[in-house]
């Protein structure tokens, strides 16, 4: 009897090993858990998109538009969208693209500075003055050049989407002047330019992943944060923040990034479909984001204390951050910064 059991067990182990060897394709649980699936059921390749904002945000709507466009055009590509940082926060998602364990992420450009310092141009405060200038700069030669800059980081930059103009919220006091910023513990993105800019304005900034922000506000470990109005409203910050001001201190693009390793596995037809959909969905995203930003501000005025910063006060903010722009002009590269500022002047 005992021998029979041993024989049965040995057969079971051998069968399991054979099955595991046959099942080692890109469809295995471990690779799909990591966020990249390769060819899925019926020969379709699944492209997984990771974003940090939740499923109420215009960026999620645009990611679903991207899915709709790709799946309408292609019979061998499928798209799955993972919101609220379900797969990873921005920096980790970018690293996953570099390793080929995630297909797409569409973060703010700010965390990308940790991989490509030149992207710091977009964090220089009070430079892009409005959305019209933003569109001209991003859709022109400068924007094309910046998309190509991710190439040697094992990334493919496909399109510019929009996060938008960033505004300050806090739980301590209304902010109408630079004086009011003094000592506020402000969360910034993981980006040294933002840190230095808020220090220059008198705040006490701390870098933090977007996925940790709401909890930190709720627990009071920080006093405030800065984000575009849609993110402030749709991430429910009015539940944990009393005051909002129209600082509009930085315009942040979202950048549509594809894993270079996976990109090179796609056929040229698949690449064309994905690129076209990323650009089209980006146009949809910008339009929708601007509409939602207006609506969000009206709702925030009902749920929070909104403080309008006077024009002459902006001059003091801009004066205070000038040394930060000078300092980072050298770190980013003077020629890139000069080209960026020239493109802004031309677009005005
Ligand atoms: O993935 C979404 C984030 O990239 C975006 O919301 C980042 O603005 C951002 C922040 O404050 O982290």
């Amino acid at each position: 009897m005992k021998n029979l059991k041993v024989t049965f067990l040995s057969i079971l182990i051998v069968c399991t090993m054979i099955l595991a060897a046959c099942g080692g394709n890109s469809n295995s649980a471990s690779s799909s858990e990591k966020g990249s699936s390769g060819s899925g059921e019926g020969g379709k390749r699944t492209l997984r998109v990771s974003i940090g904002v939740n499923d109420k945000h215009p960026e999620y709507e645009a990611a679903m538009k991207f899915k709709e466009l790709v799946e309408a055009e292609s019979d061998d590509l499928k798209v799955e969208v993972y919101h609220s940082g379900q797969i990873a926060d921005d920096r980790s998602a970018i690293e996953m693209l570099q390793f080929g364990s995630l297909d797409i992420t569409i973060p703010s450009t700010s965390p990308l500075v940790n991989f490509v310092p030149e992207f710091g141009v977009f964090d220089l405060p009070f430079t892009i003055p409005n959305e019209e200038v933003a569109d001209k700069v991003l859709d022109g030669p400068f924007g094309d050049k910046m998309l190509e800059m991710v190439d040697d980081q094992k990334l493919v930059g496909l399109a510019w989407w929009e996060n938008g103009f960033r505004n300050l919220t806090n739980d301590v006091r209304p902010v109408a002047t630079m004086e009011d910023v003094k000592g506020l513990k402000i969360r910034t993105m993981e980006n040294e330019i933002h840190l230095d800019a808020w220090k220059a304005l008198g705040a006490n900034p701390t870098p933090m992943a977007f996925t940790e922000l709401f909890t930190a506000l709720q627990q009071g470990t920080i006093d405030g944060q800065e984000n575009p109005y849609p993110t402030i409203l749709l991430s429910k910050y009015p539940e944990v923040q009393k005051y909002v001001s129209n600082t509009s201190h930085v315009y942040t693009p979202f950048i549509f990034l594809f894993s270079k390793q996976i990109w090179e596995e796609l056929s040229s037809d698949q690449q064309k479909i994905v690129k076209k959909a990323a650009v089209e969905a980006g146009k949809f995203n910008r339009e929708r984001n601007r509409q939602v930003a207006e609506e969000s501000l009206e709702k925030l005025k009902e749920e929070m204390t909104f403080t309008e910063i006077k024009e002459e006060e902006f001059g003091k903010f801009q004066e205070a951050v000038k040394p930060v722009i000078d300092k980072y002009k050298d770190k980013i590269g003077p020629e890139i910064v000069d080209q960026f500022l020239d493109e802004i002047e031309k677009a005005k």
Side-chain angles (χ1 to χ4, degrees):
M1 191 57 184
K2 195 159 171 287
N3 284 344
L4 193 60
K5 264 189 182 172
V6 170
T7 315
F8 176 70
L9 199 58
S10 318
I11 293 168
L12 194 64
I13 289 167
V14 169
C15 292
T16 310
M17 285 166 72
I18 292 166
L19 275 175
C22 301
N25 63 22
S26 52
N27 216 6
S28 61
S30 58
S31 66
S32 64
E33 267 156 25
K34 283 186 302 186
S36 169
S37 73
S39 55
E41 74 284 347
K44 283 197 179 208
R45 174 186 281 269
T46 301
L47 301 178
R48 285 178 170 71
V49 183
S50 169
I51 58 174
V53 290
N54 64 31
D55 57 356
K56 307 286 180 301
H57 197 283
E59 187 184 32
Y60 177 78
E61 291 179 38
M64 294 306 283
K65 170 63 81 176
F66 169 75
K67 169 183 169 71
E68 178 194 315
L69 292 169
V70 168
E71 293 179 353
E73 288 289 310
S74 163
D75 51 15
D76 54 12
L77 289 176
K78 173 162 176 257
V79 175
E80 288 175 357
V81 180
Y82 294 86
H83 59 83
S84 308
Q86 293 167 52
I87 293 181
D89 63 46
D90 289 337
R91 279 183 69 162
S92 312
I94 293 168
E95 285 161 0
M96 288 176 75
L97 261 59
Q98 291 178 314
F99 294 124
S101 56
L102 175 66
D103 308 278
I104 298 164
T105 191
I106 316 168
S108 290
T109 51
S110 307
L112 194 55
V113 170
N114 299 289
F115 303 83
V116 188
E118 289 82 355
F119 276 83
V121 286
F122 296 115
D123 299 304
L124 297 176
F126 302 109
T127 46
I128 292 179
N130 56 52
E131 284 98 352
E132 191 192 353
V133 169
D135 291 350
K136 287 180 183 168
V137 172
L138 293 171
D139 296 341
F142 184 79
D144 294 344
K145 176 179 176 176
M146 294 307 289
L147 287 177
E148 285 163 17
M149 258 194 197
V150 302
D151 204 51
D152 61 9
Q153 285 296 319
K154 300 182 186 160
L155 302 168
V156 180
L158 291 180
W160 293 108
W161 290 19
E162 177 175 276
N163 192 357
F165 282 97
R166 309 182 71 86
N167 297 288
L168 177 67
T169 68
N170 84 91
D171 218 27
V172 176
R173 64 179 86 94
V175 170
T177 67
M178 254 182 67
E179 199 48 42
D180 299 329
V181 175
K182 260 194 177 32
L184 290 178
K185 286 181 288 181
I186 302 293
R187 172 269 177 180
T188 71
M189 291 185 279
E190 294 162 297
N191 174 297
E192 54 183 359
I193 304 172
H194 281 251
L195 278 169
D196 279 2
W198 283 101
K199 279 179 195 157
L201 292 171
N204 174 14
T206 181
M208 186 185 295
F210 181 70
T211 44
E212 296 157 28
L213 177 49
F214 185 87
T215 307
L217 292 170
Q218 197 172 38
Q219 292 173 348
T221 46
I222 48 171
D223 298 324
Q225 64 83 47
E226 41 83 59
N227 248 294
Y229 293 135
T231 302
I232 296 169
L233 179 76
L234 300 168
S235 306
K236 299 189 183 317
Y237 295 161
E239 288 179 10
V240 289
Q241 296 273 273
K242 292 194 193 74
Y243 308 103
V244 58
S245 302
N246 65 324
T247 49
S248 297
H249 50 282
V250 164
Y251 172 90
T252 308
F254 277 143
I255 181 168
F256 191 111
L257 295 172
F258 206 106
S259 163
K260 189 171 184 182
Q261 181 182 320
I262 300 171
W263 181 256
E264 289 169 350
E265 293 169 8
L266 300 183
S267 68
S268 59
D269 284 350
Q270 287 175 325
Q271 289 178 350
K272 283 194 193 94
I273 289 168
V274 168
K275 165 81 175 173
K276 184 166 171 269
V279 172
E280 280 308 304
K283 290 192 184 105
F284 167 85
N285 162 258
R286 292 184 197 174
E287 212 174 296
R288 184 74 186 119
N289 199 56
R290 290 161 197 178
Q291 185 189 6
V292 172
E294 272 179 37
E295 294 162 1
S296 301
L297 176 55
E298 289 320 306
K299 288 185 189 141
L300 289 172
K301 286 178 177 175
E302 292 161 17
E303 297 182 25
M304 300 176 78
T305 300
F306 173 74
T307 306
E308 178 99 39
I309 296 179
K310 298 279 173 283
E311 205 47 48
E312 60 275 17
E313 199 58 36
F314 275 115
K316 292 179 197 155
F317 279 75
Q318 288 162 342
E319 205 46 46
V321 297
K322 266 210 172 68
V324 176
I325 294 180
D326 296 341
K327 171 183 175 183
Y328 284 96
K329 183 166 180 173
D330 296 336
K331 289 191 102 172
I332 295 165
E335 59 296 337
I336 281 267
V337 173
D338 286 342
Q339 190 188 353
F340 176 62
L341 297 176
D342 290 348
E343 290 297 316
I344 290 171
E345 286 314 308
K346 275 193 284 186
K348 277 180 182 172

